[in-house]
Amino acid sequence: MIANVEVAVEKIVKEIPTNEVVKALINEYRRRLIRYSMTDEFMRKKYGMTFDQFESGNVVKERKFSWDVESDAMEWEHALEGVRYVEHKLKDVEGQGLCLA
């Protein structure tokens, strides 16, 4: 079974031009970067501060651990981690000379 999968993957890899795969990957990373950045910007406007200020001000506790605020905190943190991850992956692709955009 594993051998069949490997053969199928090898066949697909041979049929799809590498530059198209790289372009699709770069586009996906850029789409994610935009989405995560928009979440960060929305939260900055909603709370009138950066995430660091939000955390250091202990806003979740200050607002009595309401579900909305805790949910926002998790989503915001996820978005910022996403920005860091995607920026790192884009640098990897560009650093390997694979950036074809």
Side-chain angles (χ1 to χ4, degrees), residues 47 54 60-61 64-76:
Y47 291 98
F54 180 89
V60 174
K61 181 179 179 181
K64 302 186 186 326
F65 300 96
S66 76
W67 171 250
D68 289 338
V69 178
E70 285 195 54
S71 177
D72 283 350
M74 290 185 287
E75 182 178 359
W76 200 352

Side-chain angles (χ1 to χ4, degrees), residues 45-100:
K45 287 180 180 177
K46 182 174 181 178
Y47 291 98
M49 61 185 78
T50 65
F51 183 73
D52 289 338
Q53 293 168 328
F54 180 89
E55 275 200 322
S56 66
N58 212 355
V59 174
V60 174
K61 181 179 179 181
E62 179 183 291
R63 299 205 184 172
K64 302 186 186 326
F65 300 96
S66 76
W67 171 250
D68 289 338
V69 178
E70 285 195 54
S71 177
D72 283 350
M74 290 185 287
E75 182 178 359
W76 200 352
E77 185 173 27
H78 175 75
L80 294 175
E81 287 298 319
V83 166
R84 285 189 279 278
Y85 174 79
V86 170
E87 287 176 342
H88 174 74
K89 296 308 270 183
L90 280 170
K91 285 179 185 175
D92 280 352
V93 171
E94 292 167 351
Q96 294 177 19
L98 299 174
C99 187
L100 306 171

Side-chain angles (χ1 to χ4, degrees), residues 18-59:
T18 305
N19 64 335
E20 288 184 26
V21 174
V22 172
K23 284 181 183 179
L25 179 64
I26 290 170
N27 286 336
E28 175 61 18
Y29 283 147
R30 287 179 179 163
R31 184 192 66 76
R32 289 181 186 184
L33 185 59
I34 290 167
R35 190 180 94 225
Y36 293 142
S37 297
M38 287 176 65
T39 299
D40 179 39
E41 183 63 27
F42 173 80
M43 295 298 183
R44 284 173 181 254
K45 287 180 180 177
K46 182 174 181 178
Y47 291 98
M49 61 185 78
T50 65
F51 183 73
D52 289 338
Q53 293 168 328
F54 180 89
E55 275 200 322
S56 66
N58 212 355
V59 174

